[in-house]
Amino acid sequence: MSATTYRRVVYRSRARDGAGNRDLAGILTQSRSNNGIDGLSGLLWTDGTHYVQLLEGPPESVATTLRRILADPRHEQIRFLSDAIVDVRAFGDWTMANLPGDRETVPAERMRIALDGAPPDVQALFVSLAAA
């Protein structure tokens, strides 16, 4: 067992004014920059109306990032789906992977590859979002 532990949080939020796809590039750019500095990894999914994001990394860094997200005007109705301490990251060194919700943009194969190696509960969550 690893001596290092990570905090893994999954949340769902509503994109303010339904602008999820329009705001996605800015969110990804900001996330990748901040997450690289803060030692975070994760996955972001959007269908244009909602976001679901998994963040994982040092507990203090996750807490700081969540405070930023809670204050971000692009998100509203934030609901936490899970919050756990884990020994292994689901997404390794990815600063922020992205899976847009458009099925034509993200075929099942891309989803499978992105989730390869992720814990079964994480895989099930994102696969259920894509199927909805």
Side-chain angles (χ1 to χ4, degrees):
M1 185 156 86
S2 170
T4 302
T5 58
Y6 305 98
R7 182 177 179 192
R8 178 182 300 145
V9 173
V10 180
Y11 73 88
R12 179 184 173 125
S13 66
R14 191 171 195 296
R16 191 169 303 263
D17 301 323
N21 288 329
R22 185 182 68 227
D23 291 341
L24 183 61
I27 289 172
L28 286 171
T29 299
Q30 184 177 2
S31 294
R32 288 173 176 151
S33 174
N34 291 338
N35 292 356
I37 293 167
D38 296 336
L40 298 175
S41 55
L43 179 67
L44 175 65
W45 177 91
T46 185
D47 64 1
T49 303
H50 294 91
Y51 300 106
V52 176
Q53 185 170 22
L54 179 146
L55 285 171
E56 59 188 1
E60 304 79 24
S61 294
V62 171
T64 299
T65 299
L66 289 175
R67 283 191 293 275
R68 247 189 334 260
I69 291 167
L70 288 167
D72 188 329
R74 296 173 293 194
H75 297 273
E76 59 187 11
Q77 300 174 6
I78 296 173
R79 185 175 61 127
F80 291 92
L81 305 176
S82 69
D83 189 345
I85 300 297
V86 298
D87 293 327
V88 178
R89 292 177 187 251
F91 294 102
D93 294 329
W94 295 2
T95 54
M96 187 54 58
N98 167 240
L99 289 173
D102 179 349
R103 289 185 194 159
E104 292 182 33
T105 305
V106 182
E109 183 66 12
R110 182 169 173 216
M111 170 92 58
R112 186 191 64 71
I113 291 168
L115 294 170
D116 187 43
D121 61 324
V122 171
Q123 291 182 18
L125 172 67
F126 283 96
V127 168
S128 70
L129 291 170

